[in-house]
Amino acid sequence: MAPQAAQLDHLAADRERMVERQIAARGVDDQRVLDAMRQVPREAFVAPGFEEFAYEDSPLPIAEGQTISQPYIVALMIEAAEVRPGDRVLEIGAGSGYAAAVLGRIAAQVYTIERHGGLARSAQDRLARLGYRNIDVRCGDGTLGWPQVAPFDAIIVTAGGPEIPESLRNQLTTGGRLVIPIGSLSDEQRLVKVVRDGEHAFHEEDLGAVRFVPLIGEHGWSEELPEESGAPIEAELRPPARSRPPTGLLRQTAERLPDLDDPAFGRLFDRFADARVVLLGEATHGTSEFYRARAAITRALIERHGFNIVAVEADWPDAAAIDRYVRHKSRPPEATPAFRRFPTWMWRNLEVHEFVDWLRAHNEGQEPAGRAGFFGLDIYNMSASIRAVIDYLDKVDPEAARVARERYGCLTPWQHDPATYGRAVLSAGYAKCEAAVVAMLRELLEQRLLYEAGDSEDFFDAAQNARLVASAERYYRVMYYGAAESWNLRDRHMFETLEQLLAWRGDGSKAVVWAHNSHIGDAAATEMGEMRDEINVGRLCRERFAETAVLIGFGTDRGTVAAASDWDGPMEIKQVRPAHRDSYERLCRDSGVSRFLVDLRQGRSAELRSSLLYPRLERAIGVIYRPETELASHYFEASLPRQFDAYLWFEQTRAVTPLPTTPRPGMPETYPFGL
Ligand code: SAM
């Protein structure tokens, strides 16, 4: 069979299974509805990347923060509206156009209204492409109905309003049926059926509890929804049969975590021994448990499974100082203590210090080539990288060092406040220093053979610093064009640095990455990936290493965290608020298991995985934490099982222990932390 035919066959089989198991088994028995559901290709209506989930038993995200309804609820509503051949039907909330397509298979004519112009246009194009000729799509406020083409035999509303709009009742034929979810935004909504018995006579039936995205319009909710409703990010949930969150399933499936110091903890991660890269996340940049767990996992992967690279979300030149220490390399005379720039506590903390000392001791017994190194992936410390390139060239090629001083001099005015560089470049109207830093990198790489004859490790270090300067120049330049662009540039640099490291350490090299969940969880499974086309290290690793990349997320409910209130502000120990009720974190807390691991890879805990697929809120605390605006500033939507291969949960956590940034009086400065 040709591959395309095989694919179609497989999709038809998925559709058949969906109809049997999710719809007919729950009691929908209108044959016309079941047949229509068998015919409409749901995979053509979901957002790109979600095709493989098209026949899952859940709603799925589409653009504008909206959803394509769960297949069962589409069938249930159409059955309740008693749609028959020959009927004229109005749908409010076209969304992807999926429900309209199902209606179009049964009724004579379908009219559908969508308030978001972009959604309306793409639904219209999609339906035309698929050959539907009896569906009219319009952009507008559906709470007003469509008086020009009324009356309708049936009206279906796929978003939840506060009450039944009069305008819609009045556009029903006598005997016409209206099906609509109504109720408050924060609590339960009811699915209601209204039948028009005569000019002014109606009766109603309650079809059960549901949860939909809000119906926004003149006879719906206002656009400024009350803050506590959490409504803009709330989505349609499953109807009664499946409405309870899967806390019981989570409780049964979660693997309890042994003590972090117990070797059994590290052994839990033996299952990832064959990975090329294991990415360990964190939900904050200042939680002790996350650092200690990552240290314990990394120790096990190094000791038991030959991992030889630890690559962290820190700047290359700072991490290079730690690397020299852990791999017992000589300390350069000009070395300055690492991690003295904001946010110092992120790496200058007791937890990292202990891990670094362990790595040094572990490496002592190894051949130099077999020692595990500690490297930085990030791009912020541009001035230290410039200094490192010049110091290196001073040693190996003083004439090139003179050229480097001149070229990097272009960036000198901004070195200490590089964020202003982009603004200066914008007003100058051209990429001011780009040519100079790119030429510097190119020439350094061209001299590879010559320079490597000295010390190849020193050459690699200098080349990485020159790469960092080139990326940082671009980063600060594009920062003024948009957050997504600079985010992508930074994550691409981190990923490319990881690739350079793996190639440099040769065949058999294996890396553990420590970075925030937002870098290591697959961006394609989050609203940042969906809405803003953000990529990240996790996404790029999956594309490059497929299933030999393992993405592990970390989460917590409450406790304390080290964070600042503003960029460059002082570190504070802040209270982490208990997680939002619609978040994955809340679900984890409600499982009643205080510390656990869940393996979310496909084919492992299939039932749990599928029950968690539908997006919920997730919290990200960075170096800045503003609990007072938490919902707006720290939560985003994601599909956890698509984002991570495994998830580690610590219900209650405490802040890292920061190390001082200036030496204690009377104490000599020791390398590498300068304490
Ligand atoms: N029927 C859709 C499908 O099959 O993809 C799912 C619709 S989604 C659950 C609800 C939709 O209602 C959203 O796309 C939302 O933008 C839309 N909506 C909300 N208020 C509306 C209004 N007053 N008029 C028209 N559409 C509205």
Side-chain angles (χ1 to χ4, degrees), residues 42 45 59-60 62-70 73-74 77 91-103 112-116 119-120 123 126 138-144 156-160 211-221 235-236:
R42 194 166 184 255
F45 292 84
L60 291 170
I62 55 175
E64 307 288 356
Q66 304 301 322
T67 52
I68 168 171
S69 303
Q70 180 193 23
I73 200 100
V74 173
M77 289 174 90
E91 183 201 25
I92 314 299
S96 68
Y98 175 70
V102 178
L103 285 165
T112 180
I113 309 178
E114 169 56 53
R115 65 183 284 268
H116 288 290
L119 284 178
R126 188 178 287 125
R138 196 179 71 124
C139 175
D141 177 4
T143 63
L144 305 172
I156 289 178
V157 184
T158 65
R211 189 82 162 270
F212 277 79
V213 292
L215 178 72
I216 296 174
E218 197 171 319
H219 303 297
W221 299 102
E236 175 186 342

Side-chain angles (χ1 to χ4, degrees), residues 443-461:
E443 282 168 27
L444 190 77
L445 294 176
E446 279 167 5
Q447 298 301 321
R448 171 185 224 124
L449 285 181
L450 182 70
Y451 293 161
E452 267 192 337
D455 182 322
S456 68
E457 293 224 350
D458 285 354
F459 171 75
F460 182 71
D461 179 56

Side-chain angles (χ1 to χ4, degrees), residues 56-133:
E56 299 274 347
D57 187 20
S58 65
L60 291 170
I62 55 175
E64 307 288 356
Q66 304 301 322
T67 52
I68 168 171
S69 303
Q70 180 193 23
Y72 167 61
I73 200 100
V74 173
L76 182 77
M77 289 174 90
I78 299 177
E79 182 180 62
E82 299 169 46
V83 178
R84 300 280 174 263
D87 277 358
R88 291 156 48 78
V89 181
L90 174 67
E91 183 201 25
I92 314 299
S96 68
Y98 175 70
V102 178
L103 285 165
R105 290 269 168 195
I106 307 172
Q109 185 64 39
V110 179
Y111 300 89
T112 180
I113 309 178
E114 169 56 53
R115 65 183 284 268
H116 288 290
L119 284 178
R121 267 191 305 281
S122 53
Q124 190 166 30
D125 292 348
R126 188 178 287 125
L127 290 165
R129 208 172 46 245
L130 292 169
Y132 290 88
R133 301 277 171 263

Side-chain angles (χ1 to χ4, degrees), residues 452-569:
E452 267 192 337
D455 182 322
S456 68
E457 293 224 350
D458 285 354
F459 171 75
F460 182 71
D461 179 56
Q464 283 311 125
N465 279 307
R467 285 194 173 97
L468 187 152
V469 179
S471 291
E473 185 278 327
R474 256 184 299 148
Y475 175 81
Y476 290 114
R477 186 150 40 85
V478 304
M479 216 161 82
Y480 282 85
Y481 295 116
E485 212 173 328
S486 52
W487 171 275
N488 286 354
L489 198 149
R490 179 176 165 219
D491 270 54
R492 199 171 283 285
H493 174 89
M494 293 207 270
F495 171 71
E496 285 169 359
T497 305
L498 178 64
E499 275 193 313
Q500 298 281 353
L501 281 166
L502 286 163
W504 174 61
R505 301 229 62 183
D507 287 345
S509 59
K510 296 162 98 177
V512 188
V513 175
W514 294 19
H516 198 278
N517 283 347
S518 52
H519 295 295
I520 71 101
D522 187 341
T526 68
E527 66 173 75
M528 289 80 81
E530 280 245 321
M531 310 287 174
R532 310 200 328 211
D533 289 331
E534 280 186 12
I535 46 135
N536 65 0
V537 177
R539 173 75 236 147
L540 294 168
C541 280
R542 276 193 172 161
E543 285 171 9
R544 168 83 169 74
F545 302 109
E547 68 283 355
T548 67
V550 174
L551 282 45
I552 306 182
F554 288 61
T556 186
D557 178 59
R558 63 191 183 280
T560 55
V561 68
S565 296
D566 292 293
W567 190 259
D568 263 343

Side-chain angles (χ1 to χ4, degrees), residues 557-559 576-581 589 619 625 630 635:
D557 178 59
R558 63 191 183 280
V576 179
R577 287 173 68 169
H580 190 277
R581 63 165 196 270
R589 179 178 116 192
R619 180 166 55 195
Y625 181 42
E630 207 192 34
Y635 280 97

